[in-house]
Amino acid sequence: PFVKGIQVQLHIQHAEVPANLSKLLELLDKTGSVQRQKPRAVGALQSANVQITCERAVPLEPYRECRALGRFVLRQRGVTVAAGMVTEVL
């Protein structure tokens, strides 16, 4: 499961950056509707809105503006643990 503070590698295009899962914002159902606010953990096969903090600048854009720079993969110890879309850049 994903919990706040977990360390991952963010892969976007050719960039690989250490990142931290800083907030779990919302747990989503299969339609994309909010199921729960501020969940404690996100389990396997669940969708969520999360905030990720990277250790350095990364070239990314919201998915709605640029599909190529709006997709990412999270890896941990060489294993892909999540894939997602950028909804907002803070």
Side-chain angles (χ1 to χ4, degrees), residues 7-26:
Q7 297 289 320
V8 293
Q9 289 286 340
L10 180 113
H11 292 261
I12 186 161
Q13 292 288 327
H14 65 279
E16 178 181 336
V17 179
N20 183 4
L21 214 62
S22 51
K23 286 186 185 177
L24 299 174
L25 303 172
E26 303 166 330

Side-chain angles (χ1 to χ4, degrees), residues 35-70:
Q35 190 176 29
R36 188 179 322 140
Q37 295 283 338
K38 298 183 181 178
R40 289 185 181 187
V42 178
L45 302 176
Q46 288 186 315
S47 297
N49 284 332
V50 300
Q51 184 175 339
I52 299 170
T53 305
C54 298
E55 289 187 8
R56 60 181 167 85
V58 181
L60 52 81
E61 291 289 330
Y63 181 78
R64 67 182 175 278
E65 293 177 20
C66 179
R67 293 173 124 190
L69 293 176

Side-chain angles (χ1 to χ4, degrees), residues 55-90:
E55 289 187 8
R56 60 181 167 85
V58 181
L60 52 81
E61 291 289 330
Y63 181 78
R64 67 182 175 278
E65 293 177 20
C66 179
R67 293 173 124 190
L69 293 176
R71 296 181 182 136
F72 64 89
V73 174
L74 297 179
R75 299 190 75 180
Q76 198 173 36
R77 296 184 194 103
V79 176
T80 300
V81 293
M85 298 184 307
V86 178
T87 57
E88 182 180 2
V89 179
L90 302 176

